[in-house]
Amino acid sequence: MDLQKFIEVNGTLVQIKKGELVFAQGELCDYVYLVKTGLLKAFYLTENGKETIKSFIQSGTIIGSLNAAHCQIPSTFSLEALEGCILIQVPFRALLALSKESISISQELIQILLSLSLKKERREFELLTLSATQRFENLCSAEPDLVKKLTQNDIAKYLGITPVALSRIKHK
Amino acid sequence: MDLQKFIEVNGTLVQIKKGELVFAQGELCDYVYLVKTGLLKAFYLTENGKETIKSFIQSGTIIGSLNAAHCQIPSTFSLEALEGCILIQVPFRALLALSKESISISQELIQILLSLSLKKERREFELLTLSATQRFENLCSAEPDLVKKLTQNDIAKYLGITPVALSRIKHK
DNA sequence: GGTGTGCATTAACCTATGTTAAAACTGACA
DNA sequence: TGTCAGTTTTAACATAGGTTAATGCACACC
């Protein structure tokens, strides 16, 4: 049995309306979610109230505050639905426990973590070496359909700039 | 047997002199390294020849271009010794193979990947939400002894700014 | 059709950081 | 001791992006 199947069989269905939070920064969150349908954003709020977006999560993805769940610490980010979403929720510890018993699940978990680390590496690289303009162009060519669905506000927060700056960039 | 032990027993010793590369960006690199002694930097070179530092690697750490090794693609970064280093090298596929046979190794690999993702998450957060000044202060308080060993050039490249900008920040 | 709310654009001004280049400093070594 | 290479500092100027605020636009709702 694969991981996705396991979650579907053993998890519980959760419906989230547009604008609602799945979990909030500062909360403990022991669950991992499989996104069946919908679109979400994972974002940070800094002390001075500024929001920056960590990532957008599309259907088919497994998402959760893995570190929070694993270390039993409060999540560093919030997860919000940008559209109505259907998720399947399963405790992270159930996954870990399962992985202790099944090599194939362990292997799959390793695959997921490796591909997660690949994604983060790309993002780190872009933040470190590219200008906002280049990051925007990259995003547009890598995820054209996603970009269409987002507000410029959210795109800007993802790029690490203000909506005003993004508007300027687009204008050129 | 734990992972570190496995590497020590099955790996081969590699000595790297200061300034030499362990592997270079663009190369295939199937190995994972355990740092016995020394200090290294992992860095990107952009097309226009600019260097940015992804991370510093201190002794006791396991390092490698995991994604490159796993996906059999060229490494996106280079690894260079900042001091004379002693490393132990082992093929990544040997680790993966081992993890397929041993649950405990799988679990350890999962732990390593989780803590790696935690580190990257922190860095992403800092790049996304903090100013260069704040990032510098964070680094100084989190890794005071590491900072002492580095040149300002390398610190700047790690923070994502120029040495000139770092000098200005320090001056204040 | 009118009104309100949220989003996008534009403009004016400000600040952080980049760029280039020169000068000062440091340590290695003949 | 003098010289050289590498590193750090300083200065002057250029640019990207932030901040604030005003305006424009679009859609929902009365």
Side-chain angles (χ1 to χ4, degrees), chain A residues 44 127, chain B residues 120-132 134-136 138-139 142 158-159:
Chain A
Y44 301 112
L127 288 171
Chain B
K120 291 201 177 169
E121 197 161 304
R122 260 200 222 116
R123 182 126 162 90
E124 182 192 86
F125 175 81
E126 295 197 344
L127 288 171
L128 212 42
T129 69
L130 303 183
S131 69
Q134 290 172 305
R135 272 177 273 150
F136 177 56
N138 274 194
L139 181 66
Y158 177 75
L159 296 176

Side-chain angles (χ1 to χ4, degrees), chain A residues 151-153 164 167-168 170-171:
Chain A
T151 65
Q152 260 177 244
N153 235 304
V164 178
S167 176
R168 272 192 293 239
K170 278 180 77 175
H171 184 65

Side-chain angles (χ1 to χ4, degrees), chain A residues 15-47:
Chain A
Q15 289 218 28
I16 306 282
K17 292 197 200 102
K18 178 175 171 172
E20 285 182 351
L21 294 185
V22 179
F23 56 80
Q25 184 170 340
E27 285 177 12
L28 284 171
C29 175
D30 302 325
Y31 296 97
V32 168
Y33 301 84
L34 170 64
V35 182
K36 291 297 287 179
T37 66
L39 178 64
L40 306 103
K41 66 174 173 183
F43 64 97
Y44 301 112
L45 279 179
T46 63
E47 313 95 39

Side-chain angles (χ1 to χ4, degrees), chain A residues 53 56 136 147-159 161-171:
Chain A
I53 295 180
F56 298 106
F136 178 58
V147 170
K148 275 176 220 147
K149 286 197 253 179
L150 301 172
T151 65
Q152 260 177 244
N153 235 304
D154 280 341
I155 298 175
K157 284 176 205 152
Y158 177 75
L159 296 175
I161 59 178
T162 59
V164 178
L166 179 54
S167 176
R168 272 192 293 239
I169 288 172
K170 278 180 77 175
H171 184 65

Side-chain angles (χ1 to χ4, degrees), chain B residues 154-165:
Chain B
D154 279 341
I155 298 175
K157 284 178 206 150
Y158 177 75
L159 296 176
I161 58 179
T162 59
V164 178

Side-chain angles (χ1 to χ4, degrees), chain A residues 122-166:
Chain A
R122 263 202 220 113
R123 181 124 162 93
E124 182 191 86
F125 175 80
E126 296 197 344
L127 288 171
L128 212 44
T129 67
L130 303 183
S131 69
T133 306
Q134 290 171 305
R135 273 177 272 150
F136 178 58
E137 284 165 359
N138 275 195
L139 180 66
C140 287
S141 65
E143 306 265 11
D145 33 344
L146 174 61
V147 170
K148 275 176 220 147
K149 286 197 253 179
L150 301 172
T151 65
Q152 260 177 244
N153 235 304
D154 280 341
I155 298 175
K157 284 176 205 152
Y158 177 75
L159 296 175
I161 59 178
T162 59
V164 178
L166 179 54

Side-chain angles (χ1 to χ4, degrees), chain A residues 1-156:
Chain A
M1 174 154 57
D2 78 354
L3 197 55
Q4 193 145 330
K5 270 257 167 66
F6 173 81
I7 296 178
E8 296 201 12
V9 171
N10 296 73
T12 62
L13 217 76
V14 187
Q15 289 218 28
I16 306 282
K17 292 197 200 102
K18 178 175 171 172
E20 285 182 351
L21 294 185
V22 179
F23 56 80
Q25 184 170 340
E27 285 177 12
L28 284 171
C29 175
D30 302 325
Y31 296 97
V32 168
Y33 301 84
L34 170 64
V35 182
K36 291 297 287 179
T37 66
L39 178 64
L40 306 103
K41 66 174 173 183
F43 64 97
Y44 301 112
L45 279 179
T46 63
E47 313 95 39
N48 44 47
K50 224 179 65 180
E51 176 186 329
T52 49
I53 295 180
K54 182 175 142 66
S55 61
F56 298 106
I57 298 103
Q58 295 176 283
S59 63
T61 315
I62 292 176
I63 170 76
S65 186
L66 296 190
N67 295 307
H70 179 242
C71 308
Q72 297 280 31
I73 51 175
S75 171
T76 55
F77 62 89
S78 303
L79 185 61
E80 177 184 328
L82 294 178
E83 320 172 335
C85 288
I86 298 176
L87 311 177
I88 305 178
Q89 177 185 67
V90 79
F92 180 63
R93 49 182 45 216
L95 279 195
L96 266 191
L98 183 68
S99 81
K100 280 188 187 127
E101 270 152 40
S102 153
I103 283 271
S104 72
I105 293 287
S106 284
Q107 292 298 308
E108 216 177 327
L109 203 50
I110 289 173
Q111 298 303 320
I112 290 177
L113 289 173
L114 275 171
S115 75
L116 216 166
S117 105
L118 183 61
K119 250 193 229 162
K120 291 200 177 172
E121 195 160 306
R122 263 202 220 113
R123 181 124 162 93
E124 182 191 86
F125 175 80
E126 296 197 344
L127 288 171
L128 212 44
T129 67
L130 303 183
S131 69
T133 306
Q134 290 171 305
R135 273 177 272 150
F136 178 58
E137 284 165 359
N138 275 195
L139 180 66
C140 287
S141 65
E143 306 265 11
D145 33 344
L146 174 61
V147 170
K148 275 176 220 147
K149 286 197 253 179
L150 301 172
T151 65
Q152 260 177 244
N153 235 304
D154 280 341
I155 298 175

